[in-house]
Amino acid sequence: MSETTAHMHDDHDHGPASGIMRWITTTNHKDIGTLYLVFALLMFFVGGLMALVIRAELFMPGLQLVEPDFFNQMTTMHALVMIFGAVMPAFVGFANWMVPMMVGAPDMALPRMNNWSFWIIPFAFTMLLLPLVLGIFGIGGGGPASGWTLYPPLSLQTGDAFAFTIFAVHMLGISSIMGAINIIATILNMRAPDMTLLRMPLFVWTWLITAFLLIAVMPVLAGAVTMLLTDRFFGTTFFSAAGGGDPVMFQHIFWFFGHPEVYIMILPAFGIISEIIPTFARKPLFGYTSMVYATASIAFLSFIVWAHHMFTVGMPLGAEIYFMLATMMIAVPTGVKVFNWVTTMWKGAMTFETPMLWAISFVVLFTIGGFSGLMLAIVPVDFQYHDTYFVVAHFHYVLVTGAVFALIAGMYYWIPKWTGYMYNEKLGKWHFWLSTIFVNILFFPQHYLGLAGMPRRIPDYSVQFAEFNMISSIGAFGFGISQLLMVAVIWQCVRGGKKASARVWEGARGLEWTVPSPAPYHTFETPPAIDDSMVAHPDDLAH
Amino acid sequence: MSSLNQQQQKNRKLIRLLVLVSVGMFGFGFAMWPLYNVFCDITGFGGRGVQVAQASSLVTGTSDREVRITFDATVNSALPWDFKPAERQMTVRLGELSNAKYLALNTSNEAIAGHAIYNVTPPEASLYFVKTECFCFTEQLLQQGEAREMPVYFFVKTDLPANITDITLSYTFFRDSSDAGLTLTP
């Protein structure tokens, strides 16, 4: 008995080790969360730099700055870096930091695997970025340039970067699957006894559902890129028409992964927003249970709509109509969410601290992205919009002003809990207003470019598109530079400032606000007793 | 301590299940390949409904209904051939055995083997399309500068749905896959 106690003591009572080894060997969910978030921030700027190369080239018609092939590498790598390097790791970072604290667990269910999930990613990105970086210095053929969707036969013509890209995608897939398994195990098995499923914060719910999406579709992507690999190196002809395969089949397999992937990047964002809005409206979330069901419906529907990405490949009319209607059905649960957020704010005692500003901006701008998505779902219209800048505008509204805005909102919301200090509110508000204004200058004109017929993934364009492209590029540089303010805010906040209280926000509810700020290295080593006053969303079925 | 063990056991059980799901989904990615083939066989997609008959005796009577056939030809960029139909279009009676010709010319100064794959549009029509002989059944070897007439014998079944009045038969010639020239390098 005493031996057991001593052992337990040894396991739990010490603080972090010091020096670099703390970060390499850590199994603490807060440390790993921080690693994920810092890595994601770094990749956000790497991917952003690539976007600025794209926008600089598109500032004027004609070819000024880069070779077309390098431009194609930029569009491809920008997408891969932002999706797999910035948005997904950032959400996993939030999950690591917040999920154990929100459900009253001492740590993630599998701390060692957690360490491995993170440390795979820097190696994967070294592989992914290496051909591009070497290419810049004149070594080799540069990075992949076939678009992030890796459609054959074009992707099979990638030079030496091909194998690097495929292996990087494999490693990132393994990391995501391990992370997802860990999150599911934590949520299902590690909750405090009083934390029933329908008492869980919505962020935990959305992540639970996202994790299931991840383990369902990341392996499918792994299968698709494995087939590409064997087509290229081992003489199979899965996607080669000459050998009896079909390149269109790749698109089906890819988008069977790709559409749920879109929701993997937005469902946790819904979760973050559903935490922030009730706090600053000082009202419980309206329709908590309907939010849970809406999230689950969106996840289910995401599996049966994939072919709306490929309406123009030549599908039977029946299939086009089916995929059109199924896609439009997603607007119903998404509408439930938007209305619930608006209703939560209705007659609330609202204040507009920086996280709330970002959250409101998310609701408005994400909805614009949702509506342009509905337009794209209409088959006859999609034939006109397909592969134009309208599509680019659409998915940047849902991914930048959707996923990224939610991440930034969440960062402002929880950073006092992470660092123990309040961030600089004035700088935060500047960051918000500059970003929101510039992001619209950046992406809104792209709708018009698309409607006028400008194709995407092209380094040069007809002079009729010159004005809107110039406006868009100005917005891009404004938005990019504004993000440096975020780094300044984070830097200041880590180093010091006004001490944050445990609750931080007057209207905040949930277990994470019952521990001191900064959150101690170990929290909830014994499960907390929970009553409804501590819970963000009391089970409204019980009342 | 025992509660910790219980926790670990619960975790292990769940993780085993989740790993199994992941592995299963990896397999599902590959299962899409046969599933896709079944889908094509049922719908006639990718020319998959076209039947191959050995003898013209399979013609089961003719009807007076006519259908217009359009012939289309494409050559993969790795193959230095000219390839086109002798006639762009012809009108055939349902059930009647017909003959169309394609013309191929090897414009390079080496002997090259090619293989043609075909497709039928609308896809549903391929279920009623029967070929008795086709240059696409075998590999074609053209010497340098050699030109060849390539015939295809076919008929359209009499029970072709009434809404189909036009059928396109399309061929794409690829360089023979055993040939090193096929390797896709930029």
Side-chain angles (χ1 to χ4, degrees), chain A residues 28 39-40 101 113 121 151 156 166 197 209 222 264 283 342 386 411 417-418 526:
Chain A
N28 180 286
F39 181 81
M101 286 209 284
M113 194 166 89
I121 299 179
Y151 282 1
L156 294 173
I166 300 297
L197 282 176
I209 291 164
I264 287 166
K283 276 173 66 191
V342 173
H386 187 84
M411 182 276 288
K417 180 57 66 187
W418 299 338
T526 50

Side-chain angles (χ1 to χ4, degrees), chain B residues 114-147:
Chain B
H115 195 132
I117 60 149
Y118 58 87
N119 203 344
V120 175
T121 310
E124 198 190 352
S126 80
L127 299 168
Y128 305 90
F129 206 92
V130 186
K131 288 181 181 179
T132 60
E133 205 184 314
C134 177
F135 59 90
C136 58
F137 294 167
T138 54
E139 196 180 278
Q140 302 288 328
L141 179 71
L142 290 187
Q143 299 302 324
Q144 69 173 84
E146 186 188 348

